[in-house]
Amino acid sequence: MIICIIGKARHGKDTAVDVMERVIKEEYDLQVNRLALAHPLKLEALKYLGLDTIEELDYYKNKNIPVCGINVRSLLQQLGDTNTIRDKHHYCNLIMDKIHSIPSDTVTIISDVRLLHEHKYFRKLSNVVFVKVHRNILLENDVHNEHPSEGDVTNMSADYYIHNKELDKYKASVAYITNVIMNSYLNHRRVVMNPSIPEEVYSMFNKSSYL
């Protein structure tokens, strides 16, 4: 079972994974394999920037603070572009190598599907569910939203859509959707597309409003 999270920068992907991991472990007593396509990319960036940990890298990236005059997010995008030119599925193949090395009953959550070729790659697999998160924010001084890792997200379809308006409601929505996905998976049924869910729990945004 693979759950792929789709979303732009700072739209709540990591928060969604945090909630999903907790629900799956606590309510279903299953192991969770938490993976990110960007993880090997970040390890490579550490060498360029002279940093020691990914936590440091994420801090500078999220705060938009240059390191030695280099914008961290731009560097990650450039490194990713270089590697995918050589092999479009480089990072997807690394993820699948890890998935194949763990027990089959482990639930894998991929936290950062953001490019169309990644979406197509995982969409072809069985037992894969896509959850797309969206937040109405405009990042000041953000010059990176024209990169494909931001623009491609707009054109990706998903099985579930969650609008990140308020943190508590957003977490409740993610927890609810996680239960829907897990119940369908454990009952060996195909996941139902876009279920009807109480408004106070789950706010599904209209795709036409942002696509």
Side-chain angles (χ1 to χ4, degrees):
M1 172 69 167
I2 302 173
I3 302 174
C4 294
I5 308 298
I6 301 170
K8 295 184 178 182
R10 304 183 195 177
H11 278 221
K13 297 188 298 297
D14 287 335
T15 299
V17 177
D18 290 340
V19 174
M20 288 181 171
E21 183 174 17
R22 176 185 58 77
V23 170
I24 294 169
K25 286 182 175 180
E26 294 181 1
E27 300 186 22
Y28 297 92
D29 195 26
L30 291 173
Q31 293 299 309
V32 174
N33 182 31
R34 181 171 178 161
L35 298 175
L37 287 157
H39 182 77
L41 186 61
K42 289 180 178 180
L43 292 177
E44 187 176 351
L46 290 179
K47 301 175 183 178
Y48 280 86
L49 299 172
L51 299 176
D52 295 322
T53 66
I54 287 179
E55 288 74 21
E56 285 182 276
L57 185 96
D58 285 339
Y59 173 82
Y60 290 114
K61 174 175 68 71
N62 295 332
K63 296 292 184 180
N64 205 24
I65 301 173
V67 178
C68 300
I70 300 173
N71 183 283
V72 177
R73 192 179 298 276
S74 292
L75 174 63
L76 290 169
Q77 291 172 346
Q78 291 168 13
L79 290 173
D81 289 345
T82 300
N83 289 330
T84 52
I85 287 173
R86 297 170 184 161
D87 178 2
K88 184 169 66 172
H89 299 307
H90 174 71
Y91 296 108
C92 295
N93 289 332
L94 290 177
I95 287 283
M96 289 309 300
D97 287 343
K98 292 182 179 180
I99 292 175
H100 289 148
S101 68
I102 62 174
S104 59
D105 59 348
T106 301
V107 178
T108 293
I109 305 175
I110 303 174
S111 63
D112 57 348
V113 175
R114 296 172 62 185
L115 292 167
L116 282 172
H117 71 263
E118 297 169 350
H119 183 267
K120 292 177 182 178
Y121 182 101
F122 292 108
R123 183 57 95 180
K124 293 177 181 179
L125 306 178
S126 59
N127 288 326
V128 178
V129 176
F130 289 84
V131 178
K132 189 172 185 177
V133 300
H134 176 75
R135 184 181 174 200
N136 290 328
I137 57 171
L138 180 62
L139 302 180
E140 294 184 4
N141 302 318
D142 188 0
V143 298
H144 315 291
N145 54 9
E146 295 182 358
H147 188 267
S149 62
E150 294 295 307
D152 281 8
V153 169
T154 303
N155 300 313
M156 290 185 194
S157 63
D159 302 305
Y160 298 93
Y161 298 82
I162 305 178
H163 198 172
N164 182 4
K165 292 182 178 179
E166 300 175 19
L167 184 58
D168 289 343
K169 290 183 178 180
Y170 176 60
K171 289 181 177 180
S173 299
V174 174
Y176 192 101
I177 288 303
T178 305
N179 280 308
V180 172
I181 292 171
M182 293 307 301
N183 285 329
S184 297
Y185 168 62
L186 295 174
N187 289 330
H188 302 288
R189 296 196 304 265
R190 183 180 179 184
V191 175
V192 179
M193 300 282 284
N194 298 338
S196 176
I197 299 173
E199 178 64 25
E200 65 272 15
V201 176
Y202 175 60
S203 176
M204 182 184 297
F205 57 86
N206 186 347
K207 289 185 288 183
S208 64
S209 67
Y210 69 96
L211 290 184

